[in-house]
Amino acid sequence: MVDLHQGSESEAAADPLIDRPFRDPDALVLAGVTRSYSQGKTRLEVLRGVDLVVSPGEIVGLVGPSGAGKSTLLHVAGLLERPDEGSVYVGGSDTTGLDDGRRTALRRSAIGFVYQFHHLLPEFTALENVVLPQLIAGLDKTEAKRRAAELLAFLGLGERAMHRPGELSGGEQQRVAIARAVANAPRILLADEPTGNLDPDTAEHVFAMLLKLAHGTGLAALIATHNLDFAARMDRRVTLREGRIVEL
């Protein structure tokens, strides 16, 4: 099994919140989270008191129609947006009072993101795309290459590591994006329609790899999807109704 532990000397390492041992039973907790946006003179309330817990090794499917607030929820959970009210806990620590620099450092070290579109850097190989976030986090180049190669091999891309994105299929590109998302050994994986841009057969393969990786490494995963068949294979399913989480 691929090992997601690393010993980076990143800027986050000196921060006790970011570098603390990850022993809390709940990797991600949203408590009473609200989020709204202004549209002209009106206020659009998207999240209206969201409560959600995702534990290590648990894969939670987030389903619901477009416009229900799934992406907003992922953005708040991933510290990309601040809630208007409520708290987001990562590994038992409340992130509410963190300034932007510490939020960025924590996001870089603790949270991995996978989107519908892979957003790989086209001028770099698959291996280099997975190495780069590790170098940014301060990992030694030799170790970063070793970890990247290990991740790509785990995802069935060992022989494609030196190919650029334009030389890879859509499913291969998305698997590289998954490897990149977990390259820095995050505690939490957030995915927004990770198979939505793939044909059914390719989507099945990518989804199976994603489940295998999350379960095998103990990641806490929250995956938004329109695919109800995929959602049914996750550990738990939730949806957003009138801005609140409802268990399915």
Side-chain angles (χ1 to χ4, degrees), residues 26 93 128 133 177 238:
D26 300 322
S93 296
E128 290 167 339
V238 300

Side-chain angles (χ1 to χ4, degrees), residues 195-222:
T195 61
N197 198 39
L198 304 173
D199 66 80
D201 289 342
T202 303
E204 167 63 34
H205 186 62
V206 169
F207 179 72
M209 289 289 99
L210 186 58
L211 289 187
K212 181 180 179 182
L213 182 65
H215 277 144
T217 58
L219 282 168
L222 179 61

Side-chain angles (χ1 to χ4, degrees), residues 1 82-83 98-99 114 171 177 180 185 216:
M1 181 58 63
R82 293 182 182 270
L98 297 182
D99 60 27
V114 181
R180 180 184 59 187

Side-chain angles (χ1 to χ4, degrees), residues 10 20 41 51 64 87 99 104-107 109 133 140 145 152 155-156 164 179-180 186 209 212 214 222 230 232 239:
S10 69
R20 64 189 292 276
K41 296 182 179 180
D51 296 308
S87 298
D99 60 27
T104 297
L106 181 58
R107 187 168 59 244
S109 67
D140 174 77
K145 285 185 175 181
L152 291 172
L155 293 170
R164 289 182 172 82
R180 180 184 59 187
M209 289 289 99
K212 181 180 179 182
L222 179 61
F230 287 171
T239 190

